[in-house]
Amino acid sequence: MKFSENWLRTRVNPDLSSDELGHLLTMAGLEVEEMAAVAPVFNDVVIAEVLEVVKHPDADRLNVCQVNVGEVEPLTIVCGAANVAVGIRVPCARIGAVLPGDFRIKQAKVRGIASFGMLCSNKELGIEIADAVNGLWILPTDAPVGTSLRQYLELDDKLFTLKLTPNRSDCSGMAGIAREVAALTGSPLLPLDMAIQAVATAEKLPVRVDDQQACPLYCGRLVRGVDAAASTPVWMVRRLERSGLRTINAVVDITNYVMLELGQPMHAFDAAKLSGGITVRHAHKDETLILLNDQSVVLDETVLVIADEARPLALAGIMGGQGSGVETDTQDVFLEAAFFHPDAIAGRARRFGLATDSSFRFERGVDFASTRQVLERATQLLVEICGGCVGEIGEVRGQMPAREPISLRCSRIARVLGITLQSGQIAELLTRLKFEFVMSGEVFSVTPPSFRFDLSIEADLIEEVARVYGYDNIPATAPQAALTMLPYSESQRPLSRLMQTLVARDYQEIVSYAFVDEQIERDLSGNDAPVALQNPIASNLAVMRSSLIGGLVGALRFNLNRKQSRVRLFEIGACFAKVDGSYQQTQRLSGIAYGGLYGEQWGVAARGVDFYDVKADLEALFAPQTVCFVAATHPALHPGRSAKVMLDGKSVGWIGELHPHWQQEYDLPQAGVWFEVEFDALTRSRVPRMSEIAKFLPVRRDLAVLVEDSVTAQSLLDAMRDTAAPFVHEVILFDVYRGKGVEQGKKSLAFRVLLQDTQKTLTDFEIEPSIAQLVSALNKCGAQLRM
């Protein structure tokens, strides 16, 4: 919404500067997006009348002019404009004037003749006008000579542009903005100078409304014998142009002006072009209409139109049609003012690629109680400017929107705003807002006015009280609350500890979208039926992720493209899947390592990160829990370098090197190592238990066994630990051997066994039964003791 500050101050004139007024509106929720001057700064430019024009004796293209600037003697000014003529009135910059661009006017001789000023064009003054011509800026013949140009054209005016939110359609007209400023400042709101025109004829045009839910109120009036070719008053042209609208003809200008003044769009039809009466109906399928902007649109049954007996005339609440528009030779006018329900207008303009001032207002809701007033105001201006014989108003009225009372409690205001307002203060604020209310003790029953569609619950009224009271007047008080210690379970590890573990191992956290490309979901997660979004924000973010790998690979590529050769990333986030017809959301922790094991340094030989390095990171993340790894295949991972992560016999995640195919597909020079585990599995932890520290030396025994290559060392370790042999404190694999002395297809595994007692030093007699139990467990797994 763009408007002139001078126009606003004709309705309400608070004792505030332009900047203070802009701040007030912004803090009240009407954000001032831009505040600009109408014209650049210049001074000492007056209206002058050219009295005499004589050719310069020494220049063919120059004229010597005698100019009246309101002083005793006329000024001699040399001018080169082709349109200079006797009797015209133009801007004149006198000696000492400063024009835009710091151009200073001085007395000068032009080809031997002294010039005492400069006659100006609009461009030299930095002012854009619609009907500008080359040469001098010719002003109206009644422009007062000697008057400051800035004063005459109100060039010290400021233009405010409001960024209205959808709920504040009441401020889409000057009346609403003035009402708001009056409420915020307490300044008096001057009434609109409106007179009801006497009806000269009982003639009415028949009106029928087929859908009274879409159009609950329709008013129309015939005005015959108008002069549509009459000139639009200068004051109206100025206000229209400063609001961003161009002038067309007097009748159309009046309807546009009333829309800007009262906030409700209206339309004028050439009555001679109408066939019979007016019908408000839904369009027929494939019905066509040529709009005022020359656009031809094909309609359907969802579009509301204004029609006569022969054809559609206009898109209701959006734009008129060419076949019934007012032109300069129009003599009879049918004025229309209606209330269209927002649901009947919303989305229709966008369907046809339109964005009109009318649809902007009707989509958000207009004041249905002022519809008749709008028609009377337009009639008044039409008669004053164009003349005419006024007919009666024809009206079709249905069920208007109900305005139900809302209870507003003083105690609730204090609780929400944190300040205590007396009931008298609240009543004053509601009165300034033009709200009707009934007070009962500490409770107000407030009936929202017809121009405020956004008020429906108590919180809305509390916001209104806060706005008018002033957000700046509400003290910034620090919240106070009793703090209590929350219970902390030692069996649960906090998120911060897991993150700290990864950061200590050189990983950096990322946050990526939960929306991913469908192809990435199929490639890396093997998910052929991802959870699809009904309204994705982009085509490459069309499905919900079932794994965090897509975001990590994307972040890895982003870093590699920026010359980062060593990358370690992790993310904690939600993953989504559809299982048995219902949606499931799980939290997971995932990470990826790429590049060198260490950063660039000289202490150790450089080598790339591998499966076992990331496996060590994962084991550190799970500690003190023990996880094991079972070889398995995953769509995103190398088939021979991937494994399931197992905890307590249950699969809780994956680890492995990226598949060479995806490495090539996603332009990765090397293969990264990725892991992903369920977050709940990581947060579980064993509560520490006290155990006595042994004072006696441990006993070490080494067991070397031969097994098939297919047998994993982890299975042997698990078998020995499951025996729970007495005194066995630790079993560790310390050597793997294949080669000379070992049969083909077999391997030698060596385990270190530590035995210890807290009460005494163990003897061979006590040790041997425990070792025998371990050997027996190994034999059951197909292992043979090496001799």
Side-chain angles (χ1 to χ4, degrees):
M1 175 64 188
K2 188 176 183 180
F3 65 91
S4 156
E5 181 184 359
N6 284 359
W7 186 7
L8 173 64
R9 290 187 183 273
T10 63
R11 297 294 311 278
V12 59
N13 190 15
D15 187 19
L16 297 173
S17 67
S18 300
D19 290 336
E20 291 170 336
L21 179 60
H23 177 74
L24 176 73
L25 290 172
T26 298
M27 291 304 298
L30 303 178
E31 181 185 351
V32 178
E33 190 173 25
E34 183 182 11
M35 186 170 63
V38 168
V41 177
F42 59 82
N43 61 17
D44 212 7
V45 178
V46 299
I47 299 171
E49 181 182 11
V50 179
L51 303 177
E52 180 182 278
V53 178
V54 178
K55 284 289 183 182
H56 195 291
D58 294 329
D60 293 337
R61 297 185 179 181
L62 297 178
N63 295 295
V64 180
C65 306
Q66 298 298 313
V67 179
N68 176 16
V69 293
E71 298 178 349
V72 178
E73 296 292 332
L75 299 180
T76 299
I77 297 177
V78 178
C79 176
N83 64 340
V84 65
V86 174
I88 64 173
R89 299 193 179 188
V90 296
C92 176
R94 297 190 293 190
I95 293 175
V98 180
L99 302 187
D102 200 27
F103 181 67
R104 299 178 181 273
I105 304 300
K106 302 177 181 179
Q107 180 181 342
K109 281 192 175 184
V110 181
R111 295 290 183 95
I113 295 180
S115 180
F116 296 89
M118 185 178 79
L119 303 183
C120 302
S121 68
N122 62 291
K123 291 183 179 179
E124 289 165 329
L125 298 176
I127 300 174
E128 296 292 333
I129 57 176
D131 54 351
V133 296
N134 290 327
L136 300 178
W137 183 6
I138 300 178
L139 302 172
T141 55
D142 61 351
V145 175
T147 302
S148 167
L149 184 70
R150 298 194 74 91
Q151 177 184 345
Y152 172 66
L153 296 178
E154 299 180 3
L155 297 181
D156 291 322
D157 192 8
K158 295 285 177 61
L159 300 181
F160 285 71
T161 302
L162 299 183
K163 188 177 182 180
L164 292 178
T165 52
N167 65 311
R168 293 310 306 270
S169 60
D170 59 299
C171 291
S172 59
M174 182 54 65
I177 298 171
R179 181 173 56 232
E180 186 76 4
V181 172
L184 294 172
T185 62
S187 302
L189 179 63
L190 302 179
L192 187 65
D193 183 17
M194 191 178 77
I196 304 299
Q197 299 301 301
V199 176
T201 174
E203 184 181 11
K204 291 194 296 186
L205 203 64
V207 176
R208 188 179 85 249
V209 177
D210 290 346
D211 186 352
Q212 292 193 2
Q213 288 187 340
C215 180
L217 179 60
Y218 188 95
C219 300
R221 163 177 273 171
L222 273 172
V223 182
R224 295 195 180 277
V226 301
D227 178 14
S231 298
T232 305
V234 173
W235 60 268
M236 184 179 289
V237 171
R238 184 176 300 155
R239 290 177 179 179
L240 287 171
E241 290 180 343
R242 292 183 182 179
S243 298
L245 297 182
R246 62 184 179 89
T247 60
I248 299 174
N249 60 54
V251 177
V252 176
D253 290 347
I254 289 168
T255 59
N256 285 338
Y257 177 78
V258 172
M259 176 188 70
L260 294 174
E261 184 177 57
L262 298 178
Q264 175 162 341
M266 58 181 307
H267 192 63
F269 298 96
D270 187 335
K273 300 176 182 178
L274 303 180
S275 299
I278 292 292
T279 301
V280 182
R281 62 173 172 83
H282 288 280
H284 305 310
K285 184 173 177 57
D286 296 331
E287 202 168 20
T288 60
L289 175 64
I290 299 177
L291 302 175
L292 290 172
N293 64 353
D294 296 327
Q295 178 181 346
S296 178
V297 295
V298 179
L299 311 175
D300 59 28
E301 295 88 343
T302 64
V303 179
L304 196 68
V305 297
I306 311 299
D308 60 11
E309 294 178 359
R311 68 198 190 284
L313 306 173
L315 291 178
I318 299 175
M319 184 180 287
Q322 276 191 357
S324 59
V326 174
E327 299 176 353
T328 54
D329 59 352
T330 297
Q331 295 183 352
D332 301 327
V333 172
F334 178 73
L335 293 176
E336 166 199 277
F339 169 65
F340 300 109
H341 197 282
D343 292 343
I345 307 300
R348 274 61 168 187
R350 288 188 294 276
R351 185 187 306 177
F352 301 117
L354 301 172
T356 66
D357 291 313
S358 179
S359 64
F360 175 85
R361 289 163 172 80
F362 278 122
E363 285 179 348
R364 289 157 174 79
V366 299
D367 181 8
F368 55 84
S370 67
T371 302
R372 197 176 183 98
Q373 178 191 15
V374 167
L375 190 57
E376 292 285 6
R377 175 60 170 164
T379 303
Q380 174 195 1
L381 294 173
L382 185 64
V383 172
E384 290 176 355
I385 297 170
C386 303
C389 180
V390 178
E392 289 188 1
I393 294 178
E395 178 180 290
V396 176
R397 179 182 291 267
Q399 182 65 39
M400 306 304 292
R403 311 305 291 153
E404 299 295 338
I406 305 170
S407 294
L408 177 63
R409 297 164 292 173
C410 296
S411 59
R412 186 61 181 170
I413 293 176
R415 180 177 176 83
V416 173
L417 300 184
I419 57 174
T420 302
L421 297 178
Q422 301 301 320
S423 57
Q425 291 177 278
I426 298 171
E428 180 193 356
L429 298 176
L430 295 176
T431 302
R432 283 161 56 179
L433 285 165
K434 309 297 183 187
F435 291 178
E436 295 181 0
F437 61 89
V438 175
M439 185 175 173
S440 176
E442 295 293 305
V443 179
F444 293 82
S445 180
V446 183
T447 302
S450 57
F451 53 82
R452 291 300 299 271
F453 276 83
D454 58 316
L455 304 179
S456 58
I457 60 176
E458 186 179 28
D460 297 331
L461 295 178
I462 295 175
E463 181 185 4
E464 292 301 301
V465 170
R467 287 193 320 104
V468 181
Y469 180 76
Y471 292 120
D472 289 337
N473 296 325
I474 298 177
T477 306
Q480 296 181 354
L483 299 179
T484 57
M485 294 292 290
L486 297 177
Y488 173 73
S489 174
E490 290 186 82
S491 62
Q492 294 289 318
R493 286 194 294 174
L495 170 64
S496 58
R497 188 178 301 171
L498 297 173
M499 297 172 65
Q500 186 177 13
T501 299
L502 287 170
V503 170
R505 302 180 81 88
D506 272 359
Y507 287 83
Q508 293 180 305
E509 185 181 14
I510 69 161
V511 178
S512 64
Y513 277 119
F515 317 133
V516 296
D517 189 289
E518 184 174 359
Q519 192 59 47
I520 290 179
E521 186 69 9
R522 294 178 187 275
D523 291 347
L524 301 181
S525 301
N527 187 3
D528 293 329
V531 178
L533 298 174
Q534 290 185 350
N535 187 24
I537 59 177
S539 60
N540 63 330
L541 300 173
V543 300
M544 304 293 286
R545 66 190 178 191
S546 63
S547 169
L548 302 177
I549 188 172
L552 287 167
V553 170
L556 173 61
R557 294 179 63 193
F558 182 89
N559 280 271
L560 294 178
N561 291 338
R562 283 152 184 80
K563 308 302 181 184
Q564 299 297 315
S565 58
R566 182 177 182 269
V567 180
R568 290 194 172 198
L569 306 172
F570 79 93
E571 180 175 12
I572 301 172
C575 296
F576 307 86
K578 190 173 184 180
V579 180
D580 297 331
S582 63
Y583 296 103
Q584 292 186 355
Q585 175 178 329
T586 57
Q587 286 289 113
R588 296 182 186 174
L589 186 149
S590 186
I592 194 166
Y594 179 95
L597 176 61
Y598 304 105
E600 189 174 357
Q601 44 77 48
W602 53 269
V604 280
R607 72 171 179 86
V609 66
D610 60 22
F611 176 94
Y612 296 101
D613 298 317
V614 178
K615 175 176 174 286
D617 295 335
L618 201 52
E619 288 174 333
L621 198 59
F622 271 96
Q625 299 183 96
T626 302
V627 290
C628 60
F629 302 87
V630 177
T633 58
H634 186 280
L637 303 179
H638 192 297
R641 300 174 186 175
S642 59
K644 284 184 178 181
V645 182
M646 307 296 292
L647 178 66
D648 298 332
K650 178 185 174 183
S651 174
V652 296
W654 287 90
I655 182 174
E657 189 177 288
L658 289 180
H659 197 290
H661 175 74
W662 304 129
Q663 176 187 338
Q664 182 178 6
E665 180 75 15
Y666 292 102
D667 299 323
L668 302 176
Q670 305 173 32
V673 182
W674 166 76
F675 69 87
E676 182 169 292
V677 292
E678 294 178 7
F679 187 74
D680 288 344
L682 286 168
T683 57
R684 297 197 299 267
S685 179
R686 290 197 300 268
V687 178
R689 294 183 179 180
M690 189 275 295
S691 61
E692 186 179 356
I693 298 176
K695 300 178 182 179
F696 302 93
L697 294 176
V699 177
R700 171 172 174 166
R701 292 288 186 269
D702 291 344
L703 297 176
V705 294
L706 289 173
V707 293
E708 300 290 337
D709 257 336
S710 60
V711 178
T712 63
Q714 186 66 49
S715 64
L716 300 182
L717 287 170
D718 291 341
M720 288 188 285
R721 288 168 182 160
D722 290 343
T723 62
F727 310 121
V728 174
H729 178 66
E730 185 178 73
V731 181
I732 294 176
L733 174 72
F734 71 89
D735 183 55
V736 179
Y737 174 74
R738 296 179 182 87
K740 187 177 180 180
V742 175
E743 294 181 34
Q744 186 72 22
K746 291 190 176 185
K747 59 186 175 184
S748 171
L749 302 178
F751 299 94
R752 182 186 69 191
V753 181
L754 293 181
L755 300 96
Q756 191 175 32
D757 188 19
T758 59
Q759 304 301 320
K760 60 182 182 299
T761 301
L762 295 176
T763 64
D764 288 343
F765 179 77
E766 295 168 320
I767 292 171
E768 290 306 324
S770 296
I771 296 299
Q773 280 186 254
L774 296 180
V775 172
S776 175
L778 292 172
N779 291 338
K780 291 178 182 178
C781 295
Q784 297 178 355
L785 198 63
R786 291 187 67 187
M787 303 307 292

